């Protein structure tokens, strides 16, 4: 019989996630996530009953496909909807293959979601960079995340030894329109001012295009797109 923490099970799950459309996937234990910096400092979500593992999915948001990132209020953005579809397919697959229950977590922490960057670090997808974003070896910071919790103790994928910012002259910080790193670390308040400007200058389109709404917000990605990793 295959044990649920068998590394082979985790390998199969990650392979299935990638073949369903995720660019990256990894696994962390709920126990490690409960103790991660953001969950320790900013309160603990109410985890679905029986949750033992987190499956974190990443989608590459290529610079050449900016529309993946445009927010329209209909479950976020086209990229987020893609991730939701991958997550829903995996929920069915996990039930069928391993008789495991999995739940797709909301995006927002205040609605029961988790801190996705913490989960991605713990699952070994990358490291927190000088732009305050999760930097992956493959795609730099140009990745968006979604998470599922699973009611089985799956073998985690471990954090990686990856420090790309050590030898970088921090283009990410130089391009920030709000100088949000002026104190030497990331300021949520200054960054959020840009997000508010972006909301106020939302795009209203006249012509309908596939999977794109009439109105959407192009949130700033300057610190993300300036990152040379994975280019
Ligand atoms: C609220 C929010 C915002 C707010 C506030 C951001 C903030 N960092 O405080 C605003 C609106 C300003 C914002 C802006 C942006 N956001 Co935002 N945001 C979120 C959201 C919903 C929650 C993040 C949060 O509140 N974190 C808590 C704060 C305190 O954490 P923090 O500043 O990141 O610092 C923590 C980590 O660095 C961590 N940490 C540090 N070192 C280590 C080491 C280890 C081992 C571990 C485990 C953790 C860890 O501990 C710190 C303290 O808690 C997440 C989605 C989610 N559910 O997670 C997306 C998310 C973080 N945002 C994302 C993005 C892309 C952006 C923007 C580029 C805008 C855009 N185009 O989407 C900017 C970039 C800002 C930046 N440079 O950080 C992505 C990040 C992807 C990535 N590659 O990292 C996320 C994950 C959403 C997604 N779709 O995947 N965001």
């Amino acid at each position: 019989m295959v044990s649920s923490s068998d590394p082979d099970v985790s390998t199969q799950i990650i392979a299935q996630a990638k073949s369903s459309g995720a660019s990256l996937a990894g696994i962390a234990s709920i126990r490690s996530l409960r103790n991660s910096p953001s969950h320790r400092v900013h309160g603990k979500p109410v985890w679905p009953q029986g949750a033992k593992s987190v499956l974190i999915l990443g989608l590459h948001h290529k610079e050449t496909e900016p529309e993946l990132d445009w927010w329209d209020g209909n479950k976020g953005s086209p990229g987020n909807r893609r991730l939701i579809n991958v997550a829903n397919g995996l929920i069915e697959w996990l039930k069928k293959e391993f008789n495991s229950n999995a739940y797709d977590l909301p995006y927002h922490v205040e609605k029961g979601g988790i801190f996705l960057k913490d989960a991605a670090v713990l699952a070994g997808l990358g490291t927190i960079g000088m732009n305050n974003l999760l930097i992956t070896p493959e795609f730099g910071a140009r990745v968006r995340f979604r998470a599922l919790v699973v009611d089985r103790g799956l073998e985690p994928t471990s954090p990686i030894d990856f420090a790309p910012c050590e030898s970088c002259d921090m283009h990410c910080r130089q391009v920030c329109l709000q100088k949000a790193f002026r104190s030497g670390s990331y300021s949520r308040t200054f960054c959020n001012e840009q997000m508010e400007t972006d909301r106020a200058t939302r795009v209203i389109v006249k012509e309908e295009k596939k999977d794109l709404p009439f109105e959407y917000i192009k949130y700033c990605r300057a610190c993300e797109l300036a990152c040379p990793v994975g280019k």
Side-chain angles (χ1 to χ4, degrees), residues 32-33 35-39 41-42 57 61 69 71 77 80 83 106-110 113-122 127-136 140-146 159 181 186-193 195 198-199 218-224:
S32 66
L33 197 58
N35 289 316
S36 79
S38 302
H39 289 102
V41 176
H42 302 285
L57 308 171
H61 274 209
D69 212 55
W71 283 78
S77 60
N80 196 46
L83 282 168
Y107 175 87
H108 290 103
V109 180
E110 56 279 16
I114 57 171
F115 291 106
L116 292 167
K117 288 186 293 178
D118 286 41
V121 175
L122 293 170
T127 193
I128 306 285
M130 294 305 275
N131 56 6
N132 196 44
L133 294 171
L134 194 282
I135 316 277
T136 66
R142 300 171 300 284
V143 183
R144 299 295 179 269
F145 300 103
R146 186 113 194 146
F181 300 91
Y186 169 77
S187 157
R188 181 177 182 139
T189 308
F190 293 136
C191 177
N192 202 40
E193 275 172 27
M195 303 295 136
D198 297 338
R199 276 191 279 276
K218 296 180 182 183
Y219 283 116
C220 177
R221 299 179 69 188
C223 64
E224 176 199 354

